[in-house]
Amino acid sequence: MTGPGDPPEGTPNGAPGGGEDEYRSVVFDESFVRAARLQEFSADERLGEHHSPAVKTRHAWMRLGGSRQAVLLVLLIVLAFGTAVYMGVRHPYKTPETVRAQPLRSAVVPLAPAGEVPGAKPGDLFAHSPAADYRIGAAGVNLPAVTRTEHFSDGQIVAALTVAKDYLVRSSLDPATLTGGSVRPVRLLLDTGQLDQFDRSLARPDDNGHDAATGWLIRFDPRQTRLADRNVRVNGTLSASELSPDALDVSADYTFVYAVRPAPAAPDDAPGQGVGKPTPGAASLVTVRREVHFRLSRENLNDHRLEVVQSSLQAGPLACSSRPADALRPLFAGQHAGKDRPRGTDPYARDRANPSLCGELAPSAQPKPSHPLR
């Protein structure tokens, strides 16, 4: 029989007790096994102190490689944008800065007649005057042939000349303007930077070279003067030239001839009243030579406006004391200037720094009617 611990098939090799005896010398008792301390070394410990790691350590900033690329891209974009802005500021062909409107400089010179002012019917006066062949009204303000300039096209030059023509028509031919009526059509054509000066000149005219109402427009004192014929005779020239890459200069040199007569119940002591009584029922001619320089920027062309830079006006027959800064007060048929005539100017005299200018109206400028009214 087998023992209680033997396998049912018996011990190996038929030996009793199996092969336990030959391993009995290396069998540890239970207390030894329990007291044994098991320890497993790590890979680094097994490799020892002196070894090189197979993979290098990656620092935190290296692990952010994608973020660094994004930051560099943003910096490049900012640098490119800054360079573009700088080049735009330094570009030699940048748009010029807007130039403020210049104030008007004006001069108004009355022309005193050498003798008595001739009078007749308006048609007879015009027919026997230097204005016999002049055109009537706006038809006398013609646009010249134009050629493009370096910075302005043909169309832009035509637009500038058209604005100047509109201004001449409204300020020199409109019956309302001539007789002291509304000046709004003239005002609408002015650069907005000149509106304050224009309003001041109309409200408080002064012969100081800046605030004369007659520097902006032609008008007669309605208390003294009436139009005898609304068909004003006109002759002159318009021209345009490039003032700068951003502005055009338009020059106008026109002569306007008006037929006038005294207003009913005109005061006898009105300023500029000549010597003698006006001839009843007779009209007389008033000749006005008007030279004007306009400046038009590109913005003015878009807005259909202009700057009146300089104005020179000569008008007669007027008395030298007529004070034409606010309105023209002509001498009528049958009157003459008397002793109120141009006086010599002494450049050595310092008692009056700015004497009023006055000229003499040449006899050839007066009509010689075939049927004068007396």
Side-chain angles (χ1 to χ4, degrees):
M1 279 180 81
T2 63
D6 294 333
E9 65 275 8
T11 58
N13 300 323
E20 288 185 358
D21 291 340
E22 58 182 302
Y23 297 104
R24 188 173 300 273
S25 60
V26 296
V27 173
F28 303 102
D29 59 12
E30 184 178 355
S31 61
F32 178 82
V33 172
R34 289 180 179 178
R37 180 172 175 267
L38 299 178
Q39 180 179 0
E40 184 175 357
F41 293 100
S42 66
D44 286 341
E45 290 174 330
R46 289 196 300 271
L47 291 174
E49 296 181 359
H50 306 290
H51 73 279
S52 298
V55 180
K56 293 185 178 180
T57 303
R58 297 182 63 189
H59 297 286
W61 66 273
M62 294 183 65
R63 292 196 297 269
L64 299 176
S67 300
R68 285 201 307 150
Q69 292 178 357
V71 172
L72 289 175
L73 180 60
V74 171
L75 289 176
L76 287 175
I77 294 174
V78 171
L79 181 60
F81 180 76
T83 303
V85 171
Y86 175 78
M87 293 300 293
V89 171
R90 301 291 297 177
H91 200 283
Y93 302 106
K94 65 179 180 178
T95 303
E97 296 181 359
T98 303
V99 180
R100 295 183 61 183
Q102 303 177 24
L104 167 66
R105 294 170 294 165
S106 62
V108 183
V109 181
L111 302 177
E116 186 178 290
V117 178
K121 293 181 179 180
D124 195 19
L125 290 171
F126 284 127
H128 294 85
S129 74
D133 297 327
Y134 285 10
R135 294 190 176 186
I136 297 175
V141 186
N142 294 318
L143 302 187
V146 300
T147 55
R148 63 171 300 136
T149 64
E150 183 178 357
H151 299 96
F152 290 89
S153 66
D154 297 354
Q156 290 173 317
I157 296 176
V158 170
L161 292 169
T162 301
V163 181
K165 175 180 178 176
D166 290 347
Y167 185 87
L168 291 172
V169 170
R170 295 184 185 183
S171 63
S172 308
L173 301 175
D174 186 349
T177 302
L178 296 173
T179 56
S182 173
V183 297
R184 188 171 183 272
V186 179
R187 192 178 189 274
L188 290 175
L189 291 174
L190 290 174
D191 186 284
T192 55
Q194 289 190 317
L195 295 181
D196 288 343
Q197 185 186 9
F198 177 81
D199 294 340
R200 183 174 62 252
S201 300
L202 271 293
R204 298 181 300 277
D206 192 352
D207 189 15
N208 59 6
H210 295 282
D211 298 321
T214 45
W216 300 96
L217 47 82
I218 298 175
R219 70 175 180 180
F220 299 97
D221 187 343
R223 298 172 301 171
Q224 300 183 38
T225 309
R226 292 288 187 271
L227 292 176
D229 190 341
R230 288 175 173 252
N231 294 324
V232 182
R233 271 51 175 185
V234 183
N235 186 53
T237 59
L238 267 177
S239 62
S241 61
E242 184 173 310
L243 188 63
S244 70
D246 191 49
L248 289 170
D249 175 83
V250 176
S251 299
D253 185 357
Y254 277 86
T255 299
F256 303 91
V257 186
Y258 308 88
V260 299
R261 59 168 47 99
D268 294 334
D269 59 347
Q273 190 72 39
V275 177
K277 291 289 185 179
T279 303
S284 60
L285 297 185
V286 178
T287 303
V288 178
R289 173 78 175 271
R290 193 179 187 198
E291 299 177 66
V292 190
H293 282 275
F294 305 103
R295 180 186 180 277
L296 294 96
S297 65
R298 296 183 185 276
E299 184 178 357
N300 290 144
L301 292 177
N302 294 333
D303 297 340
H304 200 74
R305 292 177 180 266
L306 48 70
E307 296 177 37
V308 187
V309 179
Q310 188 171 4
S311 172
S312 176
L313 185 145
Q314 301 175 2
L318 273 71
C320 289
S321 59
S322 62
R323 300 197 302 272
D326 59 336
L328 302 181
R329 299 176 178 86
L331 300 178
F332 300 110
Q335 292 185 311
H336 59 89
K339 295 181 180 180
D340 188 13
R341 305 185 55 75
R343 292 175 294 178
T345 301
D346 183 1
Y348 294 96
R350 298 185 178 274
D351 57 338
R352 190 174 185 185
N354 297 304
S356 297
L357 297 176
C358 186
E360 183 174 337
L361 183 64
S364 60
Q366 292 284 359
K368 299 176 176 60
S370 57
H371 302 286
L373 298 180
R374 295 291 182 183

